[in-house]
Amino acid sequence: MNSTVTLSFAAMTAFAFNSLLCRLALGHNAIDPVSFTSIRLISGAATLIVLSTLIARRQETKAQTPNTSIPLKQSIALGATLFGYALLFSLAYITLDTGTGALILFGTVQFALIIHHRLTGHTLTLLEILGMFVAVSGFILLLLPGQLSHLGWERV
């Protein structure tokens, strides 16, 4: 198995476990969504600070690397966006079914990656277009039974 497949599998597994842990914490009213999101992001930020410090110290012994840090204003905007995203999903965890939430989350992330891919000048492959079609079809199938019941039609 190549490293891309392995890393993709690891990332998707981590996303799935993250969803289960979020649902476990929020589903049993163990903590409210705002506190949960705050603790989650603060602990994530602390972890990133520790990791970046360790990496920076390690790179000091090697050849100088270019400064790739982003401006403070952009960093604050990205942090606020991440907090909004995490808070909205924490709130959604207490009202959405697991499958619905996963479909929306994974679909949204995938579409964001494809949009970024296109904005950076890349063209979509046939496989990516097919993947988008399958994702949109799954979303339509998810919503279709509810829409049919509003029309008075029974699910077959």
Side-chain angles (χ1 to χ4, degrees):
M1 197 179 312
N2 67 33
S3 64
T4 302
V5 172
T6 303
L7 290 174
S8 296
F9 180 78
M12 295 306 288
T13 302
F15 273 129
F17 279 122
N18 179 53
S19 294
L20 291 173
L21 291 173
C22 290
R23 187 152 307 273
L24 183 64
L26 294 168
H28 298 297
N29 295 322
I31 190 171
D32 66 284
V34 175
S35 298
F36 177 75
T37 300
S38 298
I39 292 169
R40 199 171 160 204
L41 293 181
I42 289 169
S43 63
T47 302
L48 287 174
I49 288 169
V50 169
L51 289 175
S52 64
T53 302
L54 291 172
I55 290 170
R57 285 185 183 166
R58 190 171 183 206
Q59 288 179 344
E60 285 175 1
T61 60
K62 296 181 180 180
Q64 292 293 330
T65 57
N67 184 4
T68 58
S69 63
I70 58 176
L72 179 61
K73 203 173 185 180
Q74 186 179 5
S75 180
I76 290 170
L78 290 170
T81 303
L82 176 63
F83 182 78
Y85 158 82
L87 179 61
L88 291 173
F89 266 97
S90 293
L91 292 168
Y93 272 112
I94 59 176
T95 58
L96 286 178
D97 292 335
T98 305
T100 304
L103 182 63
I104 293 170
L105 174 63
F106 295 149
T108 303
V109 169
Q110 190 63 39
F111 278 115
L113 291 172
I114 289 171
I115 289 168
H116 173 71
H117 187 68
R118 287 289 298 136
L119 291 175
T120 56
H122 297 90
T123 57
L124 295 177
T125 65
L126 182 60
L127 188 59
E128 289 168 331
I129 293 169
L130 179 63
M132 286 175 33
F133 175 76
V134 170
V136 170
S137 298
F139 190 67
I140 290 170
L141 287 173
L142 173 73
L143 298 177
L144 189 60
Q147 294 305 313
L148 291 177
S149 66
H150 288 302
L151 296 172
W153 296 352
E154 292 297 321
R155 187 174 180 183
V156 182

